[in-house]
Amino acid sequence: MLYHYYRGASMQQTARKEMDERKGGRNSQLVFEVLAGSDRPMTAYQLLAVLRGQGLKAPLQVYRALDQLIDEGLVHKIESLSAFALCTHCEAASHEGAAFTICVKCGRTEEIHDTALGRLLGRLACKQGFRTTSTTVELSGVCEACSNG
Amino acid sequence: MLYHYYRGASMQQTARKEMDERKGGRNSQLVFEVLAGSDRPMTAYQLLAVLRGQGLKAPLQVYRALDQLIDEGLVHKIESLSAFALCTHCEAASHEGAAFTICVKCGRTEEIHDTALGRLLGRLACKQGFRTTSTTVELSGVCEACSNG
DNA sequence: AACCAGTATGTTATGTTATTACATTCGTCA
DNA sequence: TGACGAATGTAATAACATAACATACTGGTT
């Protein structure tokens, strides 16, 4: 089931630029390209299904590639979907303040970057002496297009 | 593997009060009690392992109980752990503005409730015409106790 | 009581997501 | 060359979640 692969060919320019210049492994490149050609997040197994054509055979190859891309800040995991999406704010120094809207109708996500959010979460953590290393902010609901349609 | 069951017997009073008065099914009661006796979130299968002693046999029994408790607002799912924790802010009218800190060392979580956070997320969603139905805010890092220890 | 419809629960099987463990290859540097 | 560590390949399995169907309990109606 490839779902909606290639339906949204628009490329996230910032991540694309990063990727052209990077020297990651072949599998990371492949995973990146597939995510870039998708208009919504994909699960590791959806990626694998597509990439069997390019010789990939096992989930671990995909998970390792995703780990690398996440480490490099090129990909985000959407926890509530167990799925992965390109980062659309790669120019940002950090990913603090990153958030996602997730439409339960169409499955599309949008990444938001808001410095006030980053600061607020930082303050809240600080209040209880917590040292944050990563944040997950996900809003489930209905996107504008699906509300109107 | 029961992990840390019963190590933290302190009960979240607000949720406890709600539970004493509710008329849910037996399985929901059991799941609630086990979560109440745990000092950290538990996965569905950890709950099942404990509850086999009370006659539960299948994951679905636990998942259904959890779904009910979540619907009632007594339990939260921690997405990034695939685990479940009692709500410690049951008195709050809504769960907008709820957030969790998750210590990667000790596995404990703390629930935070902050109205400014709820408002900010509402504004961010609004900006892109998104109608939010539920929010997930999770901070991974190191808690104060583990930082000092 | 007998019946029915609707809801909740039990049980088996299966689907989906993620990792462990170990083998192999590849690059680098003495 | 050979020794080392890092990256990659492969198989097996663990961990998380749901589908599909059976059974039992509920309250209302005749």
Side-chain angles (χ1 to χ4, degrees):
Chain A
M1 293 182 274
L2 305 191
Y3 292 116
H4 314 281
Y5 185 49
Y6 275 142
R7 286 259 304 284
S10 81
M11 169 62 80
Q12 285 84 355
Q13 289 306 330
T14 59
R16 158 62 76 192
K17 183 144 151 287
E18 295 271 348
M19 194 64 186
D20 285 348
E21 291 159 4
R22 86 186 213 95
K23 40 180 165 293
R26 168 182 152 78
N27 291 352
S28 294
Q29 290 282 348
L30 291 171
V31 166
F32 182 94
E33 296 295 339
V34 175
L35 281 178
S38 172
D39 67 343
R40 63 204 73 190
M42 295 178 71
T43 70
Y45 280 76
Q46 286 167 359
L47 288 162
L48 178 58
V50 171
L51 288 170
R52 286 200 189 276
Q54 325 293 314
L56 269 72
K57 289 183 180 148
L60 191 49
Q61 294 176 290
V62 175
Y63 281 109
R64 283 205 274 237
L66 287 167
D67 284 346
Q68 289 169 13
L69 293 167
I70 290 169
D71 283 349
E72 295 170 44
L74 296 176
V75 165
H76 291 286
K77 177 170 186 183
I78 315 288
E79 296 287 350
S80 56
L81 298 178
S82 297
F84 303 86
L86 284 200
C87 178
T88 56
H89 293 81
C90 289
E91 75 287 359
S94 100
H95 292 162
E96 293 300 310
F100 291 87
T101 55
I102 302 166
C103 179
V104 297
K105 300 248 189 194
C106 66
R108 272 179 261 261
T109 62
E110 295 285 340
E111 185 175 348
I112 303 170
H113 224 79
D114 186 82
T115 56
L117 177 58
R119 280 197 305 271
L120 176 51
L121 293 178
R123 274 203 307 279
L124 291 175
C126 204
K127 250 190 229 170
Q128 43 172 81
F130 189 86
R131 298 197 307 124
T132 303
T133 55
S134 75
T135 64
T136 299
V137 181
E138 299 172 10
L139 311 184
S140 289
V142 183
C143 73
E144 186 162 33
C146 289
S147 280
N148 298 334
Chain B
M1 293 183 274
L2 304 191
Y3 293 114
H4 314 282
Y5 185 49
Y6 276 139
R7 286 259 302 284
S10 82
M11 168 62 79
Q12 285 83 356
Q13 290 304 331
T14 58
R16 158 62 78 191
K17 184 145 150 286
E18 295 270 347
M19 195 62 185
D20 284 347
E21 291 160 4
R22 88 186 211 93
K23 38 179 168 293
R26 169 182 152 80
N27 291 353
S28 296
Q29 289 282 347
L30 290 171
V31 166
F32 182 94
E33 297 294 338
V34 175
L35 281 177
S38 172
D39 67 343
R40 65 203 71 189
M42 295 178 71
T43 70
Y45 280 75
Q46 288 168 357
L47 287 162
L48 178 57
V50 171
L51 288 169
R52 284 198 190 278
Q54 326 292 316
L56 270 71
K57 289 183 180 149
L60 193 49
Q61 294 176 290
V62 175
Y63 281 109
R64 284 205 274 235
L66 287 167
D67 283 346
Q68 289 169 14
L69 292 167
I70 290 169
D71 283 348
E72 296 170 42
L74 297 175
V75 165
H76 291 286
K77 177 170 187 183
I78 315 289
E79 297 287 350
S80 56
L81 298 178
S82 296
F84 303 86
L86 283 200
C87 178
T88 56
H89 292 82
C90 289
E91 75 288 358
S94 102
H95 292 162
E96 294 300 310
F100 291 87
T101 56
I102 302 165
C103 179
V104 298
K105 300 249 189 194
C106 66
R108 271 180 262 262
T109 63
E110 295 285 341
E111 185 176 346
I112 301 170
H113 230 257
D114 185 82
T115 56
L117 177 58
R119 279 197 305 271
L120 176 50
L121 293 178
R123 274 203 308 279
L124 292 176
C126 204
K127 251 191 227 170
Q128 42 171 82
F130 189 86
R131 297 197 308 122
T132 304
T133 55
S134 76
T135 65
T136 298
V137 181
E138 299 171 12
L139 312 183
S140 289
V142 183
C143 74
E144 186 161 34
C146 289
S147 279
N148 298 334

